[in-house]
Amino acid sequence: MAKGYWVVFADVTDPEGYKEYVAANGPALAKYGARFLARGGQVEPKEGQPKSRVVVVEFPSYRAALDCYHSPEYAMKLRQGRSIWDMAITEGYEGSQPHHGDLGGG
């Protein structure tokens, strides 16, 4: 089964208030098996208009990612007015991958 992901580009406009959102959502994320892959580290924008913060959250399935977002435990309202998000929930990819031997060289 393919994993699910939250992919978020965010600008935090109220850092102190945003801490309340982060703290409140620990239980919801844990309940649905979430794991942070990227969370506010260094960002080097390359194309488009990305925001200052990138967050990638992995879930055991696409369904778990959707269910967490729509769950009553997820306190989405706590981030409203404290941050601006662009977000997508996506299904992971389990198909073929590039192989080192395919890159040429010698």
Side-chain angles (χ1 to χ4, degrees), residues 28-52:
L29 293 171
K31 176 180 177 179
Y32 291 92
R35 182 171 82 100
F36 287 97
L37 299 181
R39 186 179 188 187
Q42 292 184 33
V43 175
E44 184 174 327
K46 291 297 187 189
E47 297 183 31
Q49 300 291 321
K51 297 189 171 30
S52 61

Side-chain angles (χ1 to χ4, degrees), residues 51-66:
K51 297 189 171 30
S52 61
R53 183 176 175 91
V54 177
V55 179
V56 179
V57 185
E58 179 183 75
F59 290 83
S61 67
Y62 178 65
R63 173 56 38 205
L66 291 172

Side-chain angles (χ1 to χ4, degrees), residues 11 41 45 50 98:
D11 284 332

